[in-house]
Amino acid sequence: MSAADERPILGDQNNKDWMAQLSEQLWDIPLYNLAIPGSHDTMSFCLDMNSPIDESMSGILKIVDRIIPCITRPMIFKWSRTQEDSIAAQLEAGIRYFDLRIARKKNDTSNNLYFVHGVYTFVTVQKALEDFAQWLETYPKEAVILSCSHFEGLTEDLHNHLIWSLKNIFGSKLCPNTEIVTLRNLWKLGYQVIVSYDDPAAEKHEDLWSGIPYWWANRVDPEMLVEYLENKKQRGRPGGFFVAGLNLTAETDYIISHLSESLKKLTLQSYPYLMHWVQKQSPGPGKQCLNIIAGDFIRSEHFVSDIIALNKKLLRTDTGIH
């Protein structure tokens, strides 16, 4: 293990109920105008290294994996794992946006669905949703945004099964897409779960929201990532929920030429620079304001606390909003 991998992960200890602790001045601001911490590829903490490779991976990698899995599997793990904390631990840390990439394993004849990033998870979608619901029972003033996407290998029947599971598990906690999403209103009505479902199958369901735009730089260099996000800001934010991704992306040629590195090492080295940029951002409805900020290894560099702290910039003073 490298020195960077051995560096301690700095946890955010007091954010488990940060929404409930926000100033009353912020209770009537829509959630899409607040700063909300999120996790990129939320479920990659439980990747199953014995599972098949993601169907979207390159054909060459699949062939090599069949011949020398002892080499490919550790490499896939090093660059596909973006989180180390369970759902409950991420919630306790203060994460409120979750990037859930859902898939059906090839040749699986059951209704079981999994999450995918390079390989599939060993935790099923059903179990993960139940974990969210259980945690929310303890924290009735916290709300989460579950961004469901990819849906690799899902048939119409499996979409229907998944949507039924979402409604069955969360029930009256599901917030309709027609609702005013301020904390005060969510608390009044008992809503805690906003499900974004990035597929046409959701169109006829009022309690499912459309896909949430994700600003993905697709860069391995943190300076280029920030440049990309600044360019997106110049063009103006969307009107509703959207995500600014702080996650770095390494292409195959980079990985092959940096065999001693890992996504974790790369992320930890970059976070001081990236979080310095985050601290200069502001939430709100303005053209260059941010909303959800998602990243990898979310306990690093006070990631969560720094994002939540941005909401203080929305507080009114005698001289106006600062």
Side-chain angles (χ1 to χ4, degrees):
M1 183 178 290
S2 70
D5 282 341
E6 292 174 344
R7 284 164 52 184
I9 300 289
L10 302 175
D12 291 298
Q13 301 298 323
N14 301 308
N15 294 325
K16 60 184 178 181
D17 60 348
W18 68 265
M19 287 181 163
Q21 301 302 321
L22 283 180
S23 167
E24 188 172 357
Q25 295 181 42
L26 304 179
W27 294 358
D28 296 307
I29 295 177
L31 295 187
Y32 48 77
N33 288 336
L34 293 179
I36 298 175
S39 64
H40 164 249
D41 267 305
T42 297
M43 298 301 296
S44 62
F45 68 87
C46 59
L47 295 177
D48 180 2
M49 284 299 107
N50 294 316
S51 85
I53 285 183
D54 176 358
E55 284 297 302
S56 66
M57 299 291 273
S58 73
I60 294 175
L61 181 59
K62 292 177 185 176
I63 293 171
V64 174
D65 183 66
R66 286 197 291 269
I67 300 170
I68 45 174
C70 58
I71 293 177
T72 56
R73 290 303 169 117
M75 182 179 70
I76 291 170
F77 185 78
K78 284 200 307 179
W79 292 97
S80 295
R81 194 182 197 198
T82 67
Q83 307 297 339
E84 295 182 327
D85 295 288
S86 68
I87 290 170
Q90 291 185 44
L91 285 160
E92 293 278 325
I95 294 296
R96 294 295 177 267
Y97 166 90
F98 299 86
D99 175 21
L100 305 177
R101 305 184 180 199
I102 296 171
R104 172 182 175 269
K105 290 181 180 178
K106 189 176 182 180
N107 300 324
D108 188 344
T109 57
S110 74
N111 283 334
N112 289 333
L113 298 175
Y114 298 85
F115 304 94
V116 65
H117 192 222
V119 292
Y120 301 91
T121 59
F122 57 80
V123 173
T124 64
V125 171
Q126 177 83 13
K127 177 63 169 63
L129 298 179
E130 290 170 351
D131 287 349
F132 280 112
Q134 181 179 4
W135 189 89
L136 290 168
E137 287 290 335
T138 307
Y139 297 96
K141 285 195 168 185
E142 300 303 300
V144 298
I145 302 165
L146 307 183
S147 180
C148 302
S149 66
H150 286 56
F151 305 114
E152 178 188 296
L154 266 68
T155 61
E156 182 179 352
D157 285 345
L158 285 174
H159 272 293
N160 291 335
H161 174 74
L162 174 55
I163 291 170
W164 177 86
S165 296
L166 286 162
K167 294 184 178 187
N168 183 57
I169 290 169
F170 295 119
S172 62
K173 288 183 170 63
L174 277 178
C175 178
N177 57 33
T178 55
E179 200 53 71
I180 299 170
V181 285
T182 62
L183 286 173
R184 192 186 301 274
N185 199 48
L186 293 179
W187 295 341
K188 174 185 175 182
L189 299 173
Y191 297 138
Q192 289 184 270
V193 183
I194 294 168
V195 174
S196 161
Y197 200 96
D198 193 11
D199 189 90
E203 290 176 358
K204 60 180 181 288
H205 298 275
E206 190 178 83
D207 39 12
L208 299 178
W209 295 60
S210 58
I212 294 175
Y214 194 111
W215 291 356
W216 175 47
N218 194 20
R219 300 286 188 273
V220 73
D221 183 337
E223 293 186 13
M224 294 181 68
L225 185 151
V226 166
E227 180 182 356
Y228 166 85
L229 293 178
E230 285 293 339
N231 287 336
K232 296 290 285 186
K233 283 172 56 183
Q234 290 299 321
R235 298 175 192 171
R237 58 155 292 170
F241 290 110
F242 76 103
V243 184
L246 292 189
N247 48 293
L248 299 167
T249 304
E251 300 293 344
T252 304
D253 56 348
Y254 181 92
I255 293 172
I256 292 173
S257 61
H258 296 78
L259 293 177
S260 64
E261 291 193 12
S262 66
L263 182 59
K264 181 178 179 181
K265 178 180 178 181
L266 193 65
T267 300
L268 296 187
Q269 288 174 341
S270 302
Y271 258 142
Y273 175 81
L274 293 174
M275 295 314 296
H276 178 70
W277 177 82
V278 166
Q279 291 162 12
K280 295 185 288 185
Q281 307 309 305
S282 297
K287 175 182 176 181
Q288 297 192 32
C289 291
L290 297 186
N291 173 212
I292 300 163
I293 302 174
D296 297 333
F297 304 103
I298 53 87
R299 288 188 181 271
S300 308
E301 293 292 330
H302 300 292
F303 173 84
V304 175
S305 290
D306 284 353
I307 295 170
I308 295 171
L310 296 179
N311 291 305
K312 295 178 182 178
K313 299 181 182 183
L314 294 172
L315 296 177
R316 295 182 180 277
T317 66
D318 291 339
T319 56
I321 296 179
H322 63 91

